[in-house]
Structure formats: structure tokens, C-alpha cells
Amino acid sequence: MTDALAALLRHPRLWRGGGLTQGLATVPTGFRRLDERLPGGGWPLAALTELLVPTAGIGEIRLLLPALCALAADRPEAPRWIAWLAPPHLPYAPALTAAGLDSSRMLVVRPQAGLDVLWAMEQALGSGACAAVLGWVEAADGTALRRLTLAAEEGGSPGFLFRPPRHRDEASPAALRLLLTAHADGLDVEILKCRGGMPARVDRLPVH
Amino acid sequence: MLVPRRAASAAGARELWLAAHFPRLPLEALLPAAASTRAAVAIEAGDPRRTIACCNERAARQGILPGMSLAGALALVPGLRAEERQPAAEAALLDRLARWALQFTPVVSLEPPAAVLAEVRGSLDLFGGAMSLCRRALAGLSGSGLGASLAIAPTPRAALWLARAGLGMTVTRSDALPGLAARLPLACLQWPPEAVATLSALGIRSVADVLRLPRAEFAARFGPALLDELDAGLGRRREPHRRHVIPERFDERLPLPCEATAAAGLVPAFERLLANLEAFLRARACGVPGMRLDLLHRARAPTRLRLGLARPSSDAVELRRLLRERLARCPLPAPVTALRLRTGMLLPQAPRDAALLERGRSADPEATARLLDRLRARLGRQAVFGVCPVPEHRPERAWQVAEPGGKAPLSASWPAAAAARPLWMLAEPQPFDDWAGVQVSGPERIESGWWDGHDVRRDYYVAWTRAGVRLWIFRERPPGGGWFLHGVFG
């Protein structure tokens, strides 16, 4: 019986949702409760993650920091950039160093025009030269997001896109979509969409 | 006897070497020829005794000799001009002299610190014989204000000896060399000072004296290298010399079949130029650190586009992508009639092996530099930067914009700030007055910078807003000053 089931499950025309997470490359977020909810146990590599943030500064960078440190230290013989595209403020080098990041690997890009942000993010994701790409994009339509997703897959870099929560109900090709809400005692993370997993909530993550 | 027993090749040596020795090169590299109206000396760089390395003719006439201390020389000539030697300038001048020597023969080699060698056997007929060639060379050199002594000999080493000894001779037969040795002082060998001191103590004054020493004992005492040099000078042994090659550059011009009014019309032409450039670079296993594309117009100055690369490249695909971005951003002031592509100096580049199977793109170590180039080509240099920490207590000065990938100047001994620092910094502190629901903890007092006019006296607090944002705010001291927002913990 079990053999028959196994044989059936191996049938090439049978598609199983859970199988998507197998072999999915991820990097642990550094927060155990969040890792348990995410398919593959962490931020997806070679994919786009969308973070919907109501106000810049509620803890979205500290949520990413453990993963950024792990990604930056991943390949010491060929160090790659951590790209910050159109950040709302300037990344503060002493704090980055204190957090364990090598500040010489930071690449800050502040283009004049909004369209250039999407272009630069696509270049950074597709180049394979970035350990992580963080982008703050105001307006991006489905086509632009699709391009970013493809670039992330091609370059093998994880992309983190920060957008306001009003885009919550728009369709998005991102592999993972999170809505962040801040509280005095932690960060609420609502998983709106994740490829190969179920929507879920993680309350009061201690990012402070 | 150091003289080889076997007779050296008889008349009509196969090679004839012209040696040009520049006794005052250290000085001439520093001062233009016009400055020779005053007594001037070059002193050894980094020498506490400030020994004089060489002096010009005027200084020599007033009794100054190389090897004197500067203090002694100043006692003789109070108005003496003294310059410290610059090895880089000397090397550059010698390089220019090698280029100049290439007009006589294609085989030229540098003999640092102050001589150039040229094999002129094949050029003698063209220049009307050895004497005429030497006259011509001397005229050219003195025209540019350089003092040189020239000599021609069948071996490069012997030519150097003769030139250094100041014997303006032309020796065409190898068997004449031993006979000249008596006229060559020991100094013209330019051997290490210890060897020269030992030989002088033995009462040896000339090369002829050296040649009379027994071979085996000489080699045992002074090492085989000096014996090899003697043999090379006498034509007993051949000595390799590195040939001087002028660095190549790529410079090609391509007229357009019809005038182009839009950047798109230039694409086929510059694709062709780039294909030529790639073939040129690949044949030489070199890359270029940058290039210039000139768009030539009919009746106005050309539009110049300059493209610098983060690391030398020979990849036509990459160069094409960069140039395209650059062209797309460049408005054409007038129709373009021709293109001209030029590179700077070529830099040797280890050829990358073509992978048999497609490798992951992320495995490419040049990808980081390429990304930087590509972003800068379109967004401009200022829009792409790195950050680095600076050892400084004042928060706004504890970091600076840096070249991406550059090493941080921060020393490891600089302690991290005791209190937490925000991940985001505002470009300028902003007045803060939105106190609704804000909780505050602190303060951390920072007082610094009274010595440079940017005095900072502040109490920093961490503030939680109702929206859940953690802010870094400060109040100027003494209290009563306003509150300012300086960072966001992110």
C-alpha cells in the first residue's frame, strides 16, 4: 500500500505544493519563531521578498540584520556587496560595524529618478555580485516586480523590497510577502504570501 | 689570469652596443635644463647625512664632489640649490630616454639607474658609421640639456664600462677589449661598495688589475656574479638584456557611412570599434582601466565621453554595455560624422579560462567591480558610494562616504560606542517636537570637538514613538536648547 502510494506520488504528472520547499535555498532569519513559519526555514535565496512597512524605522533592518551578517560572511574568498538602493536615510557605518557587518562591503545607491531604482535593483540582483539587495521602491507595477523576481533567480541573490502597506492587496510575484507592525515590545510579522507554505502570523518578535 | 685563454672572436663583432650613461640623471630628472645656471646638487633621499649624489657642472667647478655632505657643500657654495632625489622621476626620465634611443635601433634596453643600451650593429650603415651615429646622438641629447657620455663596444657590459668611465670610444673588435682594461677605473664597474673597498685595499685601481687576479680565488672571495660580469664584458659569456618595449595603446577612428543625429545611429559603428578593441586586447592578454570615446562633428569640437572602470577589463560585452549606458545619457549637440575610440595604457591581465560548462554567474570574482561600473555609468559617480566608520566621538563625523570596497581607516583599537547606535542616520539633525506618546530613556552625553570649531555638547536619548519607531534624539547642552532628531534605529 505504501509502495503504491509512493509510486503514485512519484508520477510525473502529479504536482504537490509541499514539494516546492524541498531544495529551496534559504538563510535562517535568526529568529526561531519566524524560521518555523517560513518554508525552508528562513529567507529565500535567489528570490524576491517583499516587506510592507508602514513607517521607515520600525525595526525592519534589525529583522534582517542576522541574515545579512550570515550572507555577508558566506563567501569570504570572494566578498560580495550588500546593496542599499534608495534607502530612506543613510546607513550608519559605526552601527553596521557594531552589528558585525563589514562596512567596506556596503554599496549605497541613491539615484535621482524613481525608475532608476528599479533598474539599479534589477542590475544588482542579476549581477550575482550582491550577497543581499535591499531596495526601497515607491511605485512598482506587476511587470517591474516580475523583472526583479527573474533577476533575483538569475543572479542567485536574495532581494528585499520595502514598500508601504497600501500595496497589500495588489498581486505580487514575490516569493515571500510580509506585513510588519511595530509594538513597544516587539515586531508583529504577518506572512501574507509564501511560496510553498501557508500564510501565518508571528507576534512580538524581539528585534529590539 | 682572468683573461680568457681562448682568443675572443676576431674582427667584425656580430653585435655592437651603444651605451649612453647619464652621470647627472638624478639632477636632470628634478630640474629643467635652464636651471643649470646656478650651482645645484641632488642629495640622496632619506639619508640623514644628506650625501650629495650628483652635482651640475657649475657646482663641480666650485669644488663640489659627489659623496660630500650637504653641510660641507654649503660651506663651499652658500647659494647652492639642493634637491632630494626622486627615484620615480629618474625612472620616468630613463624611460623617455629609452624611447628616444629607439630611433637608432629597435633593440634597446634600460640599464638602471642611469644608462641606456642600444644594439646598433645593423643601423651603422644607415647613420653613416659609428662616429656619425654617436655625434648625432650627442647632438640630440645636448639639445635637450642632458649630459651624456657615449661609447660603443662589442659587448653591452664593456660599452657600459667605457661610457661610465667617460671614455667616448668606439671599439669594434672584441680582442681590443683586454687592452683597454688598464684605462678603466674600478669605479666604472659599479660594484657593491664592500667589494670595491676590499679591492682598493689590495691596491687594485683599474679593471686591468682585476683581470690579473686568479680566477678561482676571485670567485671564492667576491662571488661568481662579479666574475660573470667580467666575462660578459670581455665577450666570454653572453648576458641577457631585457628589451625595452613601448607600451601600446588602442586608437582607432571610424567614419560613419552617414551622419548620425541620434545615439541609436552610432551603435553599429561603435560595435565594430569594440570588436576591434576586444581582438586587440585579447591578442595581448591585456585589459584597459578605462577608455575614451570621441564623437566627431563636422564643424565643432568633438564630444568626449570618458569611461573609467573599477578594474581593468577586456570583456567586450561588458564594455559595450557600459558604453551604451553612457551614450544613452549623452545628448548629441550636432550630427556625428565619425567615432574615435582610444584607450589608456594596457594592463596585463591573466586570461580567464572559458568554462567548459556554464558556471554559476555568482562565481565570477569580477562581478562586483562590473556591477559598480554599470551602476555608475548610468546613475553617475556620486550616486553610488560606500560608507566607512571614522574614529570620532561626534556621531555625524563617525562615518564618511567612501569608495565602495575600500578598506576602512578605522583602527581596530578604536572602541565601539558604549551605547547603541542607530542603523539610520539623518543627513542633518532635524528639529523634533512630536512628543505624543513618546517614551524616552537616556541620556548618553557626548561632548567633543571644541578644538576644531565644530563643538558638540549634547545629551542623546532613545525615544519610542507610538508608531513603534525607535528614534535617536538629542538636546543641546546647556538645557534649554531645542530637541533634535538625529537617527532612526531602523
Side-chain angles (χ1 to χ4, degrees):
Chain A
M1 170 64 197
T2 324
D3 288 352
L5 188 61
L8 184 65
L9 289 177
R10 274 202 303 274
H11 195 278
R13 296 182 73 177
L14 189 72
W15 186 85
R16 298 175 73 201
L20 262 178
T21 62
Q22 280 173 9
L24 183 70
T26 59
V27 56
T29 62
F31 301 96
R32 194 179 47 79
R33 280 195 287 143
L34 184 57
D35 283 348
E36 284 167 2
R37 296 288 176 185
L38 293 173
W43 303 115
L45 294 173
L48 192 66
T49 298
E50 203 178 325
L51 297 128
L52 303 177
V53 182
T55 322
I58 60 168
E60 67 276 27
I61 303 301
R62 273 168 291 144
L63 180 68
L64 292 182
L65 258 186
L68 290 184
C69 291
L71 285 165
D74 177 34
R75 224 178 280 167
E77 76 284 358
R80 294 176 293 165
W81 304 116
I82 290 189
W84 307 68
L85 301 162
H89 306 294
L90 285 168
Y92 188 49
L96 297 173
T97 312
L101 284 170
D102 179 3
S103 66
S104 72
R105 303 318 306 172
M106 302 295 138
L107 187 68
V108 185
V109 184
R110 303 193 99 175
Q112 302 293 321
L115 272 182
D116 280 343
V117 184
L118 286 170
W119 173 85
M121 188 156 182
E122 193 183 331
Q123 296 297 321
L125 283 169
S127 67
C130 295
V133 181
L134 285 66
W136 282 259
V137 176
E138 281 298 317
D141 56 11
T143 322
L145 294 178
R146 180 89 196 126
R147 289 182 69 105
L148 292 182
T149 312
L150 290 176
E153 283 168 16
E154 190 196 342
S157 304
F160 298 96
L161 190 64
F162 298 89
R163 303 175 80 199
R166 62 186 147 88
H167 300 291
R168 175 187 174 143
D169 297 327
E170 292 171 17
S172 164
L176 179 64
R177 297 188 84 203
L178 306 178
L179 176 68
L180 308 184
T181 326
H183 296 279
D185 51 348
L187 197 62
D188 282 2
V189 179
E190 186 180 349
I191 301 173
L192 301 175
K193 170 195 172 183
C194 60
R195 200 182 286 161
M198 302 291 279
R201 262 189 89 87
V202 184
D203 285 340
R204 305 293 194 267
L205 268 187
V207 295
H208 291 310
Chain B
M1 293 273 286
L2 282 188
V3 180
R5 241 170 259 132
R6 187 162 53 99
S9 63
R14 270 171 305 164
E15 290 182 351
L16 275 185
W17 288 83
L18 168 73
H21 175 64
F22 303 92
R24 292 190 292 279
L25 186 97
L27 198 58
E28 285 155 349
L30 295 173
L31 301 171
S36 62
T37 50
R38 251 177 79 189
V41 294
I43 54 178
E44 297 288 353
D47 177 13
R49 201 178 148 247
R50 299 171 74 73
T51 314
I52 290 173
C54 74
C55 56
N56 66 0
E57 247 169 271
R58 208 178 167 82
R61 272 208 303 276
Q62 300 185 38
I64 290 171
L65 294 170
M68 272 185 175
S69 74
L70 181 60
L74 282 172
L76 282 175
V77 185
L80 187 67
R81 177 168 183 180
E83 300 279 341
E84 199 159 273
R85 278 181 77 167
Q86 285 176 17
E90 289 174 30
L93 178 58
L94 200 61
D95 190 72
R96 280 213 302 283
L97 287 167
R99 279 165 198 249
W100 164 84
L102 279 167
Q103 65 179 302
F104 299 112
T105 166
V107 185
V108 169
S109 73
L110 295 180
E111 196 62 38
V116 172
L117 284 168
E119 204 285 306
V120 293
R121 178 85 177 86
S123 326
L124 287 183
D125 285 346
L126 179 65
F127 289 96
M131 295 307 287
S132 151
L133 190 146
C134 281
R135 263 200 302 278
R136 201 171 160 145
L138 270 178
L141 287 170
S142 60
S144 41
L146 293 164
S149 91
L150 304 184
I152 291 181
T155 68
R157 182 65 55 184
L160 265 182
W161 292 343
L162 291 167
R164 284 177 188 154
L167 302 172
M169 301 186 74
T170 300
V171 182
T172 51
R173 295 166 61 104
S174 301
D175 47 4
L177 286 174
L180 283 168
R183 294 173 61 187
L184 292 172
L186 207 51
C188 77
L189 297 172
Q190 290 201 352
W191 278 354
E194 313 85 67
V196 173
T198 315
L199 287 168
S200 309
L202 292 172
I204 284 166
R205 299 276 173 269
S206 72
V207 177
D209 297 340
V210 180
L211 294 178
R212 272 195 286 277
L213 295 173
R215 277 180 81 85
E217 284 72 10
F218 180 87
R221 173 167 259 183
F222 299 103
L226 298 188
L227 192 62
D228 285 350
E229 242 181 56
L230 285 175
D231 284 347
L234 297 174
R236 161 93 167 170
R237 176 172 184 284
R238 283 179 75 84
E239 203 179 15
H241 285 269
R242 181 182 291 272
R243 220 169 125 170
H244 184 71
V245 181
I246 292 188
E248 289 176 287
R249 277 147 210 265
F250 180 86
D251 185 352
E252 226 172 82
R253 202 188 131 116
L254 187 67
L256 299 181
C258 61
E259 292 189 1
T261 48
L266 304 174
V267 171
F270 91 63
E271 298 260 328
R272 258 180 68 192
L273 280 177
L274 273 176
N276 292 354
L277 173 64
E278 191 191 23
F280 177 86
L281 291 175
R282 186 161 289 168
R284 287 155 183 81
C286 283
V288 284
M291 53 188 167
R292 284 190 302 188
L293 181 68
D294 290 354
L295 312 179
L296 307 176
H297 309 291
R298 197 159 355 121
R300 58 179 292 158
T303 309
R304 298 180 192 282
L305 303 179
R306 205 177 257 279
L307 195 79
L309 301 174
R311 76 154 70 184
S313 172
S314 61
D315 183 359
V317 178
E318 187 54 31
L319 295 176
R320 178 174 304 136
R321 204 187 313 219
L322 292 174
L323 263 186
R324 263 201 179 157
E325 291 293 349
R326 199 75 183 71
L327 262 183
R329 283 198 310 146
C330 164
L332 298 184
V336 179
T337 57
L339 296 181
R340 180 176 178 200
L341 186 66
R342 282 181 287 172
T343 69
M345 196 182 293
L346 307 187
L347 298 172
Q349 207 180 27
R352 241 187 312 140
D353 42 24
L356 179 60
L357 301 169
E358 180 77 15
R359 268 188 305 182
R361 293 191 55 186
S362 53
D364 180 1
E366 289 176 11
T368 51
R370 276 215 303 264
L371 174 64
L372 191 58
D373 287 337
R374 206 177 303 159
L375 292 174
R376 281 186 162 165
R378 168 143 162 187
L379 307 175
R381 212 176 162 77
Q382 305 301 324
V384 186
F385 55 90
V387 291
C388 76
V390 176
E392 169 65 64
H393 287 294
R394 282 166 285 182
E396 61 268 48
R397 285 163 184 259
W399 76 284
Q400 65 187 28
V401 167
E403 181 66 15
K407 276 283 146 253
L410 183 59
S411 59
S413 60
W414 185 253
R421 290 282 176 265
L423 285 161
W424 296 124
M425 203 64 167
L426 270 58
E428 290 286 323
Q430 286 170 7
F432 180 76
D433 50 11
D434 182 16
W435 287 98
V438 170
Q439 293 175 20
V440 168
S441 77
E444 177 194 1
R445 182 160 296 176
I446 296 178
E447 289 200 5
S448 183
W450 50 266
W451 54 86
D452 63 5
H454 296 277
D455 196 0
V456 162
R457 295 154 53 125
R458 297 169 183 166
D459 279 343
Y460 275 89
Y461 295 82
V462 179
W464 280 269
T465 69
R466 197 182 289 165
V469 183
R470 204 147 62 109
L471 303 174
W472 208 41
I473 57 176
F474 69 83
R475 184 164 54 167
E476 297 275 11
R477 292 191 64 242
W483 287 86
F484 291 90
L485 171 63
H486 205 177
V488 184
F489 280 83

mmCIF file of all heavy atoms in Angstrom, chain B residues 157 161 189-192 195 215 218-233 237-239:
data_model
loop_
_atom_site.group_PDB
_atom_site.id
_atom_site.type_symbol
_atom_site.label_atom_id
_atom_site.label_comp_id
_atom_site.label_asym_id
_atom_site.label_seq_id
_atom_site.Cartn_x
_atom_site.Cartn_y
_atom_site.Cartn_z
ATOM 1 N N ARG B 157 78.192 45.071 -21.753
ATOM 2 C CA ARG B 157 78.836 45.371 -20.477
ATOM 3 C C ARG B 157 80.058 46.267 -20.689
ATOM 4 O O ARG B 157 80.256 47.254 -19.983
ATOM 5 C CB ARG B 157 79.210 44.042 -19.813
ATOM 6 C CG ARG B 157 79.848 44.104 -18.470
ATOM 7 C CD ARG B 157 78.985 44.653 -17.370
ATOM 8 N NE ARG B 157 77.709 43.974 -17.209
ATOM 9 C CZ ARG B 157 76.772 44.367 -16.343
ATOM 10 N NH1 ARG B 157 76.971 45.424 -15.586
ATOM 11 N NH2 ARG B 157 75.642 43.723 -16.248
ATOM 12 N N TRP B 161 80.936 50.033 -19.336
ATOM 13 C CA TRP B 161 82.156 50.423 -18.621
ATOM 14 C C TRP B 161 82.782 51.653 -19.255
ATOM 15 O O TRP B 161 83.140 52.605 -18.576
ATOM 16 C CB TRP B 161 83.181 49.290 -18.648
ATOM 17 C CG TRP B 161 82.804 48.077 -17.845
ATOM 18 C CD1 TRP B 161 81.856 48.001 -16.888
ATOM 19 C CD2 TRP B 161 83.405 46.784 -17.963
ATOM 20 N NE1 TRP B 161 81.804 46.732 -16.385
ATOM 21 C CE2 TRP B 161 82.738 45.961 -17.014
ATOM 22 C CE3 TRP B 161 84.423 46.239 -18.749
ATOM 23 C CZ2 TRP B 161 83.075 44.614 -16.856
ATOM 24 C CZ3 TRP B 161 84.754 44.905 -18.588
ATOM 25 C CH2 TRP B 161 84.081 44.095 -17.639
ATOM 26 N N LEU B 189 82.905 49.889 -12.894
ATOM 27 C CA LEU B 189 82.231 48.598 -12.790
ATOM 28 C C LEU B 189 80.934 48.720 -11.998
ATOM 29 O O LEU B 189 80.053 47.887 -12.125
ATOM 30 C CB LEU B 189 83.150 47.580 -12.102
ATOM 31 C CG LEU B 189 84.445 47.252 -12.857
ATOM 32 C CD1 LEU B 189 85.355 46.403 -11.980
ATOM 33 C CD2 LEU B 189 84.143 46.512 -14.142
ATOM 34 N N GLN B 190 80.849 49.754 -11.145
ATOM 35 C CA GLN B 190 79.701 49.951 -10.249
ATOM 36 C C GLN B 190 79.404 48.697 -9.458
ATOM 37 O O GLN B 190 78.281 48.193 -9.420
ATOM 38 C CB GLN B 190 78.466 50.407 -11.030
ATOM 39 C CG GLN B 190 78.649 51.817 -11.541
ATOM 40 C CD GLN B 190 77.356 52.505 -11.870
ATOM 41 O OE1 GLN B 190 76.291 51.910 -11.858
ATOM 42 N NE2 GLN B 190 77.442 53.785 -12.189
ATOM 43 N N TRP B 191 80.434 48.194 -8.819
ATOM 44 C CA TRP B 191 80.265 47.017 -7.974
ATOM 45 C C TRP B 191 79.827 47.444 -6.585
ATOM 46 O O TRP B 191 79.926 48.627 -6.231
ATOM 47 C CB TRP B 191 81.582 46.234 -7.913
ATOM 48 C CG TRP B 191 81.752 45.351 -9.111
ATOM 49 C CD1 TRP B 191 80.829 45.131 -10.084
ATOM 50 C CD2 TRP B 191 82.908 44.603 -9.463
ATOM 51 N NE1 TRP B 191 81.321 44.276 -11.021
ATOM 52 C CE2 TRP B 191 82.600 43.927 -10.670
ATOM 53 C CE3 TRP B 191 84.162 44.416 -8.893
ATOM 54 C CZ2 TRP B 191 83.501 43.076 -11.309
ATOM 55 C CZ3 TRP B 191 85.051 43.564 -9.523
ATOM 56 C CH2 TRP B 191 84.733 42.905 -10.723
ATOM 57 N N PRO B 192 79.377 46.495 -5.773
ATOM 58 C CA PRO B 192 78.971 46.852 -4.408
ATOM 59 C C PRO B 192 80.114 47.513 -3.651
ATOM 60 O O PRO B 192 81.283 47.157 -3.852
ATOM 61 C CB PRO B 192 78.627 45.508 -3.774
ATOM 62 C CG PRO B 192 78.413 44.566 -4.893
ATOM 63 C CD PRO B 192 79.165 45.080 -6.064
ATOM 64 N N ALA B 195 82.877 45.331 -2.028
ATOM 65 C CA ALA B 195 83.827 44.708 -2.947
ATOM 66 C C ALA B 195 84.860 45.733 -3.404
ATOM 67 O O ALA B 195 86.065 45.454 -3.450
ATOM 68 C CB ALA B 195 83.077 44.124 -4.142
ATOM 69 N N ARG B 215 91.465 33.554 -11.105
ATOM 70 C CA ARG B 215 90.015 33.380 -11.271
ATOM 71 C C ARG B 215 89.350 32.720 -10.074
ATOM 72 O O ARG B 215 88.370 33.214 -9.531
ATOM 73 C CB ARG B 215 89.723 32.529 -12.504
ATOM 74 C CG ARG B 215 89.729 33.290 -13.796
ATOM 75 C CD ARG B 215 89.424 32.353 -14.937
ATOM 76 N NE ARG B 215 87.996 32.102 -15.080
ATOM 77 C CZ ARG B 215 87.176 32.895 -15.772
ATOM 78 N NH1 ARG B 215 87.648 33.950 -16.385
ATOM 79 N NH2 ARG B 215 85.901 32.630 -15.865
ATOM 80 N N PHE B 218 89.370 34.744 -6.933
ATOM 81 C CA PHE B 218 88.485 35.900 -7.089
ATOM 82 C C PHE B 218 87.023 35.493 -6.876
ATOM 83 O O PHE B 218 86.277 36.125 -6.138
ATOM 84 C CB PHE B 218 88.661 36.512 -8.486
ATOM 85 C CG PHE B 218 87.788 37.708 -8.726
ATOM 86 C CD1 PHE B 218 88.210 38.976 -8.363
ATOM 87 C CD2 PHE B 218 86.536 37.571 -9.306
ATOM 88 C CE1 PHE B 218 87.409 40.076 -8.570
ATOM 89 C CE2 PHE B 218 85.726 38.671 -9.515
ATOM 90 C CZ PHE B 218 86.171 39.928 -9.151
ATOM 91 N N ALA B 219 86.651 34.375 -7.510
ATOM 92 C CA ALA B 219 85.267 33.915 -7.379
ATOM 93 C C ALA B 219 84.970 33.523 -5.943
ATOM 94 O O ALA B 219 83.881 33.786 -5.421
ATOM 95 C CB ALA B 219 85.014 32.729 -8.313
ATOM 96 N N ALA B 220 85.947 32.892 -5.276
ATOM 97 C CA ALA B 220 85.713 32.460 -3.899
ATOM 98 C C ALA B 220 85.518 33.659 -2.985
ATOM 99 O O ALA B 220 84.700 33.643 -2.071
ATOM 100 C CB ALA B 220 86.891 31.618 -3.411
ATOM 101 N N ARG B 221 86.257 34.712 -3.251
ATOM 102 C CA ARG B 221 86.194 35.860 -2.343
ATOM 103 C C ARG B 221 85.025 36.791 -2.662
ATOM 104 O O ARG B 221 84.328 37.251 -1.772
ATOM 105 C CB ARG B 221 87.503 36.630 -2.433
ATOM 106 C CG ARG B 221 87.469 37.932 -1.662
ATOM 107 C CD ARG B 221 88.817 38.514 -1.499
ATOM 108 N NE ARG B 221 89.333 38.251 -0.176
ATOM 109 C CZ ARG B 221 90.497 38.723 0.233
ATOM 110 N NH1 ARG B 221 91.268 39.399 -0.577
ATOM 111 N NH2 ARG B 221 90.911 38.495 1.452
ATOM 112 N N PHE B 222 84.780 37.062 -3.944
ATOM 113 C CA PHE B 222 83.773 38.080 -4.294
ATOM 114 C C PHE B 222 82.486 37.501 -4.866
ATOM 115 O O PHE B 222 81.566 38.231 -5.197
ATOM 116 C CB PHE B 222 84.355 39.081 -5.289
ATOM 117 C CG PHE B 222 85.538 39.825 -4.736
ATOM 118 C CD1 PHE B 222 86.821 39.489 -5.109
ATOM 119 C CD2 PHE B 222 85.357 40.843 -3.810
ATOM 120 C CE1 PHE B 222 87.906 40.166 -4.591
ATOM 121 C CE2 PHE B 222 86.442 41.521 -3.290
ATOM 122 C CZ PHE B 222 87.722 41.183 -3.674
ATOM 123 N N GLY B 223 82.439 36.184 -5.019
ATOM 124 C CA GLY B 223 81.217 35.585 -5.546
ATOM 125 C C GLY B 223 81.288 35.430 -7.047
ATOM 126 O O GLY B 223 81.962 36.204 -7.731
ATOM 127 N N PRO B 224 80.580 34.456 -7.582
ATOM 128 C CA PRO B 224 80.652 34.195 -9.024
ATOM 129 C C PRO B 224 79.981 35.278 -9.862
ATOM 130 O O PRO B 224 80.290 35.433 -11.035
ATOM 131 C CB PRO B 224 79.937 32.845 -9.172
ATOM 132 C CG PRO B 224 79.080 32.728 -7.956
ATOM 133 C CD PRO B 224 79.740 33.498 -6.866
ATOM 134 N N ALA B 225 79.061 36.067 -9.250
ATOM 135 C CA ALA B 225 78.323 37.044 -10.057
ATOM 136 C C ALA B 225 79.265 38.094 -10.643
ATOM 137 O O ALA B 225 79.125 38.485 -11.808
ATOM 138 C CB ALA B 225 77.259 37.711 -9.191
ATOM 139 N N LEU B 226 80.241 38.545 -9.845
ATOM 140 C CA LEU B 226 81.157 39.576 -10.338
ATOM 141 C C LEU B 226 82.067 39.014 -11.421
ATOM 142 O O LEU B 226 82.391 39.704 -12.396
ATOM 143 C CB LEU B 226 81.981 40.136 -9.169
ATOM 144 C CG LEU B 226 81.167 40.822 -8.080
ATOM 145 C CD1 LEU B 226 82.089 41.513 -7.086
ATOM 146 C CD2 LEU B 226 80.203 41.828 -8.667
ATOM 147 N N LEU B 227 82.462 37.740 -11.251
ATOM 148 C CA LEU B 227 83.289 37.108 -12.283
ATOM 149 C C LEU B 227 82.508 36.986 -13.591
ATOM 150 O O LEU B 227 83.036 37.255 -14.677
ATOM 151 C CB LEU B 227 83.731 35.725 -11.792
ATOM 152 C CG LEU B 227 84.823 35.043 -12.615
ATOM 153 C CD1 LEU B 227 86.097 35.864 -12.587
ATOM 154 C CD2 LEU B 227 85.088 33.645 -12.083
ATOM 155 N N ASP B 228 81.222 36.622 -13.457
ATOM 156 C CA ASP B 228 80.363 36.533 -14.643
ATOM 157 C C ASP B 228 80.288 37.877 -15.347
ATOM 158 O O ASP B 228 80.287 37.964 -16.573
ATOM 159 C CB ASP B 228 78.955 36.087 -14.245
ATOM 160 C CG ASP B 228 78.912 34.599 -13.912
ATOM 161 O OD1 ASP B 228 79.927 33.927 -14.180
ATOM 162 O OD2 ASP B 228 77.885 34.139 -13.381
ATOM 163 N N GLU B 229 80.234 38.948 -14.554
ATOM 164 C CA GLU B 229 80.150 40.275 -15.147
ATOM 165 C C GLU B 229 81.401 40.595 -15.956
ATOM 166 O O GLU B 229 81.317 41.129 -17.067
ATOM 167 C CB GLU B 229 79.984 41.318 -14.032
ATOM 168 C CG GLU B 229 78.690 42.070 -14.124
ATOM 169 C CD GLU B 229 78.564 43.105 -13.033
ATOM 170 O OE1 GLU B 229 79.455 43.962 -12.924
ATOM 171 O OE2 GLU B 229 77.571 43.049 -12.292
ATOM 172 N N LEU B 230 82.551 40.233 -15.379
ATOM 173 C CA LEU B 230 83.803 40.467 -16.097
ATOM 174 C C LEU B 230 83.824 39.686 -17.399
ATOM 175 O O LEU B 230 84.189 40.206 -18.454
ATOM 176 C CB LEU B 230 84.989 40.052 -15.225
ATOM 177 C CG LEU B 230 85.361 40.987 -14.084
ATOM 178 C CD1 LEU B 230 86.457 40.371 -13.256
ATOM 179 C CD2 LEU B 230 85.811 42.333 -14.634
ATOM 180 N N ASP B 231 83.412 38.403 -17.315
ATOM 181 C CA ASP B 231 83.389 37.565 -18.519
ATOM 182 C C ASP B 231 82.450 38.140 -19.565
ATOM 183 O O ASP B 231 82.742 38.145 -20.761
ATOM 184 C CB ASP B 231 82.941 36.147 -18.153
ATOM 185 C CG ASP B 231 84.058 35.374 -17.458
ATOM 186 O OD1 ASP B 231 85.200 35.868 -17.498
ATOM 187 O OD2 ASP B 231 83.779 34.315 -16.875
ATOM 188 N N ALA B 232 81.300 38.650 -19.085
ATOM 189 C CA ALA B 232 80.342 39.224 -20.021
ATOM 190 C C ALA B 232 80.943 40.445 -20.699
ATOM 191 O O ALA B 232 80.760 40.668 -21.892
ATOM 192 C CB ALA B 232 79.060 39.597 -19.280
ATOM 193 N N GLY B 233 81.665 41.244 -19.941
ATOM 194 C CA GLY B 233 82.267 42.445 -20.509
ATOM 195 C C GLY B 233 83.291 42.105 -21.576
ATOM 196 O O GLY B 233 83.410 42.807 -22.586
ATOM 197 N N ARG B 237 81.137 35.552 -22.403
ATOM 198 C CA ARG B 237 79.899 34.991 -21.907
ATOM 199 C C ARG B 237 78.806 35.967 -22.304
ATOM 200 O O ARG B 237 78.981 37.175 -22.237
ATOM 201 C CB ARG B 237 80.060 34.924 -20.392
ATOM 202 C CG ARG B 237 78.926 34.482 -19.621
ATOM 203 C CD ARG B 237 79.311 34.290 -18.166
ATOM 204 N NE ARG B 237 78.136 33.772 -17.536
ATOM 205 C CZ ARG B 237 77.099 34.522 -17.241
ATOM 206 N NH1 ARG B 237 77.166 35.822 -17.418
ATOM 207 N NH2 ARG B 237 76.011 33.976 -16.747
ATOM 208 N N ARG B 238 77.696 35.414 -22.763
ATOM 209 C CA ARG B 238 76.609 36.321 -23.172
ATOM 210 C C ARG B 238 75.718 36.646 -21.993
ATOM 211 O O ARG B 238 75.497 35.830 -21.129
ATOM 212 C CB ARG B 238 75.791 35.703 -24.292
ATOM 213 C CG ARG B 238 76.503 35.784 -25.626
ATOM 214 C CD ARG B 238 75.684 35.141 -26.697
ATOM 215 N NE ARG B 238 74.556 35.982 -27.087
ATOM 216 C CZ ARG B 238 74.654 36.962 -27.969
ATOM 217 N NH1 ARG B 238 75.802 37.212 -28.552
ATOM 218 N NH2 ARG B 238 73.608 37.686 -28.275
ATOM 219 N N GLU B 239 75.213 37.854 -22.017
ATOM 220 C CA GLU B 239 74.431 38.324 -20.882
ATOM 221 C C GLU B 239 73.059 38.737 -21.410
ATOM 222 O O GLU B 239 72.980 39.513 -22.356
ATOM 223 C CB GLU B 239 75.138 39.553 -20.298
ATOM 224 C CG GLU B 239 74.829 39.831 -18.886
ATOM 225 C CD GLU B 239 75.600 41.052 -18.419
ATOM 226 O OE1 GLU B 239 76.130 41.811 -19.263
ATOM 227 O OE2 GLU B 239 75.660 41.262 -17.227
#
